[in-house]
Amino acid sequence: MKTRISILKVLTALLAVAALSFACCNCEIWFGDDTSDDPVFHGTTFTLQLRMPTDESVKEENDGFSHSTTDGELICEWEIPTYGNTVYESVKKFFEDRTDKIYFRAEQHTFYMFSKCVLENGEEYNLETAYVAADGIYSKCANRQSVLGADGIAGTDDDLKVLVIVYKGWLY
């Protein structure tokens, strides 16, 4: 009986260590996403805009909260080369060696959301409550938003053209 309890304690401890190791692993997205294994340049670009919120708001179907319209004052704009399959890959690659930066954070270990933007002049924008729209349609997360459109082929009409990040765009 005593041996059984000791074995049970050891197994419980091993499971706890394994769970802790899994929770602290370097892979931020646990169950995969839409990013490619080897992001390559597709020869196309899309426009990334950072905009101020407007006084006008809209509420998408099935949304719990209203958001600012996407036509507020332009803060900054970049022409982003398309790498891989997603906005995340393209934006991350574009800002790798620049003085201005856009940062992401993993949310619930399933997707990347825009976290912060730092412009060349040092101005910082917290993007945690930003509204993001891809060609005018709500975009939940950067590692699932395709740059290649529904057909998955670069250089076609359904490729991403404009991604708008509205600073403080969600109106709670």
Side-chain angles (χ1 to χ4, degrees), residues 15-168:
L15 284 173
V17 168
L20 185 60
S21 296
F22 181 70
C24 297
C25 73
N26 288 333
C27 55
E28 293 185 23
I29 301 300
W30 287 351
F31 305 108
D33 58 9
D34 297 335
T35 58
S36 58
D37 293 333
D38 185 24
V40 297
F41 176 58
H42 294 292
T44 60
T45 62
F46 66 91
T47 302
L48 174 63
Q49 298 178 338
L50 177 61
R51 292 185 170 273
M52 292 298 288
T54 62
D55 291 334
E56 297 177 42
S57 67
V58 293
K59 191 170 186 177
E60 303 286 333
E61 185 178 327
N62 300 323
D63 272 347
F65 302 100
S66 297
H67 63 84
S68 170
T69 58
T70 58
D71 58 351
E73 179 185 339
L74 184 65
I75 297 169
C76 201
E77 182 175 78
W78 302 270
E79 200 64 28
I80 308 290
T82 55
Y83 280 89
N85 299 329
T86 65
V87 164
Y88 172 74
E89 294 167 286
S90 297
V91 172
K92 187 173 172 137
K93 178 75 173 165
F94 178 76
F95 285 101
E96 267 181 358
D97 299 319
R98 295 177 54 99
T99 54
D100 53 345
K101 298 280 186 198
I102 288 189
Y103 299 93
F104 296 90
R105 77 171 171 87
E107 177 70 25
Q108 301 169 353
H109 295 285
T110 58
F111 61 88
Y112 285 106
M113 62 183 283
F114 290 97
S115 178
K116 179 170 75 169
C117 176
V118 180
L119 301 181
E120 286 180 298
N121 64 8
E123 285 182 64
E124 288 189 22
Y125 295 88
N126 179 340
L127 303 179
E128 296 287 330
T129 58
Y131 175 75
V132 182
D135 292 330
I137 299 169
Y138 170 64
S139 174
K140 182 176 181 182
C141 55
N143 62 314
R144 300 218 191 268
Q145 178 59 55
S146 174
V147 292
L148 304 176
D151 65 6
I153 301 169
T156 58
D157 287 342
D158 69 342
D159 289 0
L160 178 65
K161 299 190 183 28
V162 180
L163 188 85
V164 178
I165 304 171
V166 182
Y167 175 61
K168 294 185 180 180

